[in-house]
Amino acid sequence: MLDQASAVTPLPHAEARVQSGYRNPDYFGRRLWSAEQAGADAGPHGFVAASVTQLPKAHAFCEALMQMQLAPLWALASAHMHSRGAAWVHHENDALTGVFLFLPLSWDGEASLRAGRFSYAAPRLDDLCQPGDEISAIYLWFAGGATQDARRAIMRTTASWIGGALSGLRIYGRAASEEGARGLAKFGFRRLAPERSDLFILSEDRGRAA
């Protein structure tokens, strides 16, 4: 594990380049990414946006829960500092018990995701939104709780986001296990396509045709 000071420093590619102008012709409407609104939806369920100093512990929590190496800490820090809302944490009696990571995607980001070019381990920052940027979709990066209360909070926060800050957006996710796939199915996710069996989508005509 990198030391905390160096680990949370974004790499030089943190300068976002101009988007290519990709637009999904089936999309109607225009939405702007708001980390503040996402926080308002999550707060009642105990999730708050992580501070920079909380990121190393949140990252270690995710890897310990999954018992595997995930995206590097610098990638999480870059995404979170860019979007102001990639990492969300849940505490019980000052103990970290839950982490929720998601990525607000730009139009280029959604295009890369659907085409199989998206880097899950180190997302390009031009594939992600900063606050106030036009948002195309959401990618659920990670969600996990160490206690029953935290797991319930994840479900309730997801429902609040889907009905609030993320309403009308297409939402994507990948399942690391059959249990994860069942969890996505509970919210109405389906596999994007037979050839992309690892990628799930929640659309339900949420502003766009799938």
Side-chain angles (χ1 to χ4, degrees):
M1 179 69 68
L2 299 175
D3 67 88
Q4 293 188 13
S6 63
V8 299
T9 302
L11 291 190
H13 76 237
E15 278 297 322
R17 59 179 173 79
V18 177
Q19 294 180 339
S20 69
Y22 166 81
R23 291 292 183 274
N24 186 327
D26 294 324
Y27 178 75
F28 298 98
R30 183 172 183 268
R31 293 287 300 279
L32 303 181
W33 163 236
S34 173
E36 183 177 354
Q37 181 59 53
D41 291 341
H45 309 296
F47 270 96
V48 297
S51 66
V52 173
T53 57
Q54 289 175 323
L55 293 178
K57 190 172 183 179
H59 181 265
F61 175 94
C62 296
E63 292 199 327
L65 198 64
M66 294 298 294
Q67 297 186 338
M68 61 186 294
Q69 187 174 7
L70 303 176
L73 178 54
W74 66 258
L76 171 59
S78 292
H80 188 59
M81 295 168 71
H82 180 79
S83 69
R84 305 300 179 189
W88 303 80
V89 292
H90 181 276
H91 289 84
E92 297 171 41
N93 299 320
D94 297 325
L96 178 64
T97 57
V99 174
F100 205 134
L101 310 178
F102 76 79
L103 302 174
L105 300 180
S106 65
W107 292 98
D108 286 351
E110 185 182 12
S112 295
L113 186 68
R114 294 179 71 94
R117 299 190 303 267
F118 190 82
S119 173
Y120 300 105
R124 295 176 58 91
L125 295 190
D126 48 298
D127 283 342
L128 310 180
C129 294
Q130 291 182 303
D133 285 351
E134 189 172 352
I135 182 171
S136 177
I138 290 290
Y139 174 70
L140 301 181
W141 210 6
F142 174 91
T147 66
Q148 187 175 31
D149 284 347
R151 290 188 289 272
R152 286 173 177 166
I154 287 171
M155 300 294 282
R156 291 167 180 164
T157 300
T158 301
S160 291
W161 275 334
I162 289 175
L166 311 184
S167 176
L169 294 174
R170 226 166 3 189
I171 303 176
Y172 298 87
R174 293 195 327 172
S177 65
E178 285 303 315
E179 182 180 359
R182 288 193 295 270
L184 290 173
K186 287 181 181 179
F187 281 101
F189 282 80
R190 59 175 176 78
R191 296 186 191 276
L192 180 62
E195 63 272 16
R196 296 297 310 280
S197 61
D198 63 321
L199 187 63
F200 290 75
I201 181 172
L202 177 64
S203 179
E204 299 178 340
D205 297 323
R206 296 158 57 80
R208 284 168 279 186

